[in-house]
Amino acid sequence: GENVEQHPSTLSVQEGDSAVIKCTYSDSASNYFPWYKQELGKRPQLIIDIRSNVGEKKDQRIAVTLNKTAKHFSLHITETQPEDSAVYFCAASISGNKLVFGAGTILRVKS
Amino acid sequence: KAGVTQTPRYLIKTRGQQVTLSCSPISGHRSVSWYQQTPGQGLQFLFEYFSETQRNKGNFPGRFSGRQFSNSRSEMNVSTLELGDSALYLCASSLLAAMNTGELFFGEGSRLTVL
């Protein structure tokens, strides 16, 4: 199937806390999993991606983990800051040169 | 290098009208994909073009169509507009021929309001 489920739909955290967003996919052939951040009124931008040959990838305060067996991947943001407030979208590649996006998570970081 | 440019940025139409949106990809990018963004629905895939050919199409009615020109610029058209077509329409370009294996560069979108 062509489905990516993303949870939670909204997430509020205190500045300095960690935030975790989870996605599940259904296509066992999926091998590319990007995460996009969309600030209010701005365009979505890639913040990190992972391919199926690795289980974890880090970039400063952001990390992504992938569990191919369970078909889920997660975005972890540590030491959250107000500028992390945005909508985050996960996505998964599927057969036929397609990319399917999750419904998005609104992250609010309270200072 | 200029980013992805979409025009117009905002437009208001009435039911039954048609609309054409334009997208100019980053120079050298030949893949252009279109998405509809509505609150709570994320980014819904409309279609993808590569070298003037539509390679993929999402689950949208035939009222939604598109094309790509030889300079990689793309247009999408929505005919017989319905209230539910109100959304932000985003296009994205990719350097890679396989658009689902690398970074997508999004435009700022065209916000369509149907009254």
Side-chain angles (χ1 to χ4, degrees):
Chain A
E2 303 179 2
N3 192 38
V4 174
E5 293 190 2
Q6 184 171 346
H7 299 281
S9 56
T10 59
L11 178 60
S12 290
V13 300
Q14 204 65 37
E15 182 178 358
D17 288 349
S18 295
V20 180
I21 303 170
K22 299 180 180 180
C23 290
T24 59
Y25 60 97
S26 54
D27 188 348
S28 57
S30 295
N31 58 11
Y32 176 64
F33 309 90
W35 286 87
Y36 285 83
K37 174 184 180 182
Q38 186 178 29
E39 296 179 13
L40 189 63
K42 301 284 185 64
R43 68 189 79 195
Q45 291 189 300
L46 180 72
I47 54 171
I48 195 167
D49 57 12
I50 191 169
R51 301 183 191 274
S52 59
N53 58 344
V54 298
E56 183 176 6
K57 184 176 179 180
K58 288 183 180 179
D59 183 4
Q60 300 181 352
R61 296 186 297 109
I62 294 173
V64 58
T65 58
L66 171 65
N67 183 325
K68 288 189 294 182
T69 303
K71 293 182 187 172
H72 68 69
F73 56 111
S74 300
L75 177 71
H76 304 254
I77 306 174
T78 59
E79 300 173 22
T80 53
Q81 300 168 5
E83 52 264 38
D84 294 329
S85 296
V87 181
Y88 291 81
F89 294 99
C90 65
S93 65
I94 61 171
S95 306
N97 191 40
K98 293 181 182 179
L99 194 66
V100 178
F101 285 85
T105 296
I106 300 172
L107 173 64
R108 296 191 184 94
V109 180
K110 298 175 287 186
S111 56
Chain B
K1 192 181 249 188
V4 177
T5 304
Q6 290 188 247
T7 58
R9 291 290 315 281
Y10 303 91
L11 64 166
I12 300 173
K13 294 286 186 178
T14 56
R15 281 180 297 174
Q17 287 188 309
Q18 72 160 9
V19 66
T20 299
L21 309 177
S22 178
C23 173
S24 293
I26 291 173
S27 178
H29 290 195
R30 289 192 291 164
S31 169
V32 175
S33 49
W34 288 89
Y35 301 85
Q36 181 193 66
Q37 184 176 15
T38 54
Q41 294 298 315
L43 301 169
Q44 300 290 311
F45 173 72
L46 283 156
F47 24 66
E48 186 247 350
Y49 288 87
F50 182 82
S51 293
E52 301 179 67
T53 301
Q54 185 183 90
R55 293 198 296 188
N56 280 303
K57 193 177 191 307
N59 298 322
F60 279 81
R63 300 185 296 107
F64 291 80
S65 63
R67 58 179 176 169
Q68 185 180 36
F69 302 94
S70 59
N71 61 357
S72 293
R73 188 177 72 85
S74 178
E75 288 182 348
M76 68 163 282
N77 184 277
V78 188
S79 62
T80 319
L81 285 167
E82 301 177 359
L83 295 179
D85 296 332
S86 295
L88 180 67
Y89 291 88
L90 290 162
C91 84
S93 72
S94 171
L95 178 62
L96 301 177
M99 56 77 72
N100 65 344
T101 61
E103 182 172 4
L104 296 180
F105 295 85
F106 284 88
E108 292 187 297
S110 293
R111 184 165 295 282
L112 170 65
T113 301
V114 182
L115 302 176

